[in-house]
Amino acid sequence: MQDALPDPQTDATRDVVTRYHLSWKARDIEAVLALYHPEVEYNDFFQNRCMRREDLRDYLQATMPTGPDDFLEHNDRIRIDGDTAFIQYAISVAGGGTFRASEAITVRDGLIWRINEYALLVQPASQTSKHPSQRPAASRLGLSARQLGMLARDIEEYFQRSKPYLDPALDLHQVAGATGYTRNQISYLLNQMLGQSFYQYVNQARLEHLLRLLETAVPPVRIDELAFSAGFNSLSAFYRCFRQHTGLSPKAYLKQLL
């Protein structure tokens, strides 16, 4: 049986898509743009959005990660069939939740002529099945699946850097104003991807701050005072959060720690 003859179109597609993939990994917007056909059509089905060549610079600037860590995990090698390549990957979200995504990339005249991108939210383990499909709500957010992954990292970095949770009056409006995202975008991330309300997320950050303080605390420890200094605005919320995340009362935790 004779071996199949090389397919010039398949080889050309592989070359273009490989350069495209490497340009993405290098965060090189100009190199990515240079690979788009003048008549390119980019269909992001997660957002129900179709983009042309003139839209793609802004889209790339908003979508391409800028940090050193790549949150895209490829599930399989790039598969080529004639003028079309198929890529499967997962987008991890800081704190929980994953998107399974795939792209079908069609090459024409040595350039990328069509991209169809699909993404499906995989609920975190703690998420209930009360809302089997979040697709319609997600499509109105104005964010791609990649951008939602970036949103999670941006919120996490903002909390670590600025410690806004130390303000007992912190609300969603303040976080949205400080990070540049909308309240709906942040709420979707927290509720649908991380399985938490805004105040659960904030109180968890407060508790983690308090637990770090306890590591260097010198007896006698006044844990109620530490709770208020960490941003908790009621002792009932503090005790509820403490037991939920440690499985112990503050008194039992201190006895074990000190």
Side-chain angles (χ1 to χ4, degrees), residues 79-95:
R79 298 181 179 274
I80 312 292
D81 184 5
D83 64 358
T84 303
F86 302 91
I87 304 175
Q88 294 184 340
Y89 54 90
I91 302 171
S92 300
V93 175

Side-chain angles (χ1 to χ4, degrees), residues 49-243:
R49 184 180 180 190
C50 175
M51 290 163 283
R52 301 292 183 176
R53 181 67 174 75
E54 60 271 18
D55 306 315
L56 288 173
R57 178 179 292 276
D58 289 344
Y59 180 77
L60 290 175
Q61 289 175 336
T63 302
M64 190 172 286
T66 56
D69 298 325
D70 194 341
F71 53 80
L72 296 183
E73 178 183 346
H74 286 82
N75 299 329
D76 200 357
R77 62 185 175 84
I78 298 174
R79 298 181 179 274
I80 312 292
D81 184 5
D83 64 358
T84 303
F86 302 91
I87 304 175
Q88 294 184 340
Y89 54 90
I91 302 171
S92 300
V93 175
T98 302
F99 283 99
R100 289 178 182 166
S102 62
E103 290 180 353
I105 302 175
T106 303
V107 172
R108 177 177 291 181
D109 303 324
L111 295 169
I112 293 172
W113 176 70
R114 184 79 77 249
I115 299 178
N116 290 333
E117 180 181 324
Y118 306 86
L120 175 67
L121 173 62
V122 179
Q123 299 289 3
S126 61
Q127 187 82 356
T128 67
S129 58
K130 292 181 181 178
H131 305 285
S133 175
Q134 301 299 336
R135 174 67 180 82
S139 68
R140 294 193 294 269
L141 290 175
L143 296 177
S144 68
R146 287 191 183 97
Q147 288 170 299
L148 278 167
M150 293 169 66
L151 164 58
R153 291 198 172 185
D154 288 345
I155 296 296
E156 183 178 61
E157 289 174 2
Y158 168 61
F159 269 60
Q160 291 176 352
R161 181 182 66 255
S162 300
K163 299 180 174 57
Y165 52 81
L166 296 179
D167 177 3
L170 181 69
D171 60 22
L172 182 57
H173 178 77
Q174 291 171 265
V175 174
T179 59
Y181 293 98
T182 70
R183 288 178 291 179
N184 284 343
Q185 289 168 343
I186 297 172
S187 292
Y188 178 86
L189 170 77
L190 297 178
N191 297 335
Q192 306 303 335
M193 303 196 67
L194 306 188
Q196 295 179 300
S197 70
F198 173 74
Y199 289 105
Q200 286 174 323
Y201 185 86
V202 172
N203 281 340
Q204 182 174 319
R206 289 167 174 157
L207 179 63
E208 290 170 356
H209 180 86
L210 181 142
L211 294 178
R212 289 193 294 270
L213 293 178
L214 289 180
E215 292 176 0
T216 57
V218 178
V221 175
R222 300 184 62 86
I223 198 163
D224 291 358
E225 291 182 1
L226 289 178
F228 287 123
S229 72
F232 285 98
N233 53 21
S234 80
L235 288 178
S236 61
F238 163 62
Y239 284 115
R240 183 168 57 251
C241 181
F242 196 101
R243 185 176 288 277

